[in-house]
Amino acid sequence: MNYEEITPRELKPALLQLDGISRVSVEAHYKLYQGYVAKRNELLRKLDAVDLSTANQVYSDLRALKVDLSFAIGGIKNHELYFEHLGGEGGDPDGATAGLIERDFGSVDLWRADLRATGIAGRGWAWTAYDWDEGRLFNYIGDAQNTFPVWNATPLVALDVYEHAYFIDYQTDRGAYIDAFFQNLDWSVVNGWVEAYRIPPA
Ligand SMILES: [Fe+2]
């Protein structure tokens, strides 16, 4: 097999000065993120040495390594989205993202209410993603780093609702953390993704 080691992306300085999400909380995410990167590299290295003839669905090295690889890779991708699109002024989206949200949710307030509720209902993540087959945005739910991604959908907003995301700042009040998350979104980053992925405008 052919694989390359990767290194963690650096944290933008703005991430350490968020509004209502403490530096300590962001550093907790980052420490976990560094761990996911290290484990991704370790898992791929170990997969390189696995005897494919021992593959078994009940237990096998191949199975164990690949299941946990999906957790590590999910942890990397989810956190890279999270870090990249925070550090902004929050408020309502503008540009192409505003048009998509208004078309697919009815209004920004309805989108926000749905994503907030999805984050309350999830055990790890909630994402606003553009589903290429449906041709629209939808707020998908996640319980862990590797559940439940939907094929052929591109995440544009990634809301981390693992306890490390809010317990230091808000104890069990996850809703208050989600409100703070909205206040720190950088819509210019999200609009940049919409453009880069060539998501058709509303
Ligand atoms: Fe996190």
Side-chain angles (χ1 to χ4, degrees):
M1 204 194 309
N2 204 2
Y3 74 95
E4 285 182 23
E5 303 247 319
I6 59 170
T7 52
R9 291 184 190 171
E10 282 187 30
L11 206 51
K12 294 186 293 185
L15 266 287
L16 301 175
Q17 297 174 353
L18 298 180
D19 188 10
I21 300 175
S22 66
R23 180 185 182 125
V24 176
S25 289
V26 172
E27 285 172 342
H29 291 282
Y30 192 71
K31 197 169 180 184
L32 291 165
Y33 164 67
Q34 290 174 306
Y36 297 132
V37 170
K39 282 295 176 187
R40 176 260 185 209
N41 291 337
E42 179 186 340
L43 287 158
L44 285 174
R45 190 166 60 244
K46 288 184 172 166
L47 274 165
D48 213 17
V50 161
D51 178 357
L52 298 182
S53 71
T54 65
N56 181 285
Q57 63 163 341
V58 181
Y59 167 76
S60 55
D61 290 344
L62 185 70
R63 181 185 159 77
L65 292 166
K66 287 211 170 184
V67 168
D68 290 329
L69 178 65
S70 74
F71 194 95
I73 289 175
I76 293 166
K77 294 186 186 224
N78 288 327
H79 281 94
E80 287 181 351
L81 291 164
Y82 186 81
F83 296 142
E84 192 66 28
H85 73 2
L86 289 180
E89 301 294 314
D92 288 355
D94 56 6
T97 307
L100 294 168
I101 284 177
E102 280 158 21
R103 180 193 67 190
D104 296 336
F105 292 91
S107 71
V108 171
D109 283 343
L110 289 170
W111 162 77
R112 204 181 277 114
D114 189 82
L115 185 60
R116 190 180 193 278
T118 306
I120 298 283
R123 297 172 187 164
W125 288 90
W127 304 277
T128 301
Y130 180 77
D131 188 315
W132 291 88
D133 301 308
E134 300 268 353
R136 58 161 293 173
L137 299 177
F138 191 83
N139 290 330
Y140 290 108
I141 197 168
D143 277 353
Q145 305 296 353
N146 54 351
T147 61
F148 309 98
V150 170
W151 291 123
N152 211 21
T154 301
L156 297 171
V157 178
L159 168 59
D160 191 340
V161 294
Y162 267 89
E163 282 179 348
H164 67 258
Y166 61 88
F167 205 85
I168 292 166
D169 298 328
Y170 297 100
Q171 287 76 52
T172 57
D173 190 355
R174 193 193 290 181
Y177 153 73
I178 294 174
D179 293 337
F181 170 85
F182 286 126
Q183 296 297 322
N184 288 281
L185 276 175
D186 187 338
W187 289 113
S188 68
V189 170
V190 178
N191 280 327
W193 289 336
V194 169
E195 195 183 336
Y197 292 119
R198 300 186 183 191
I199 294 171

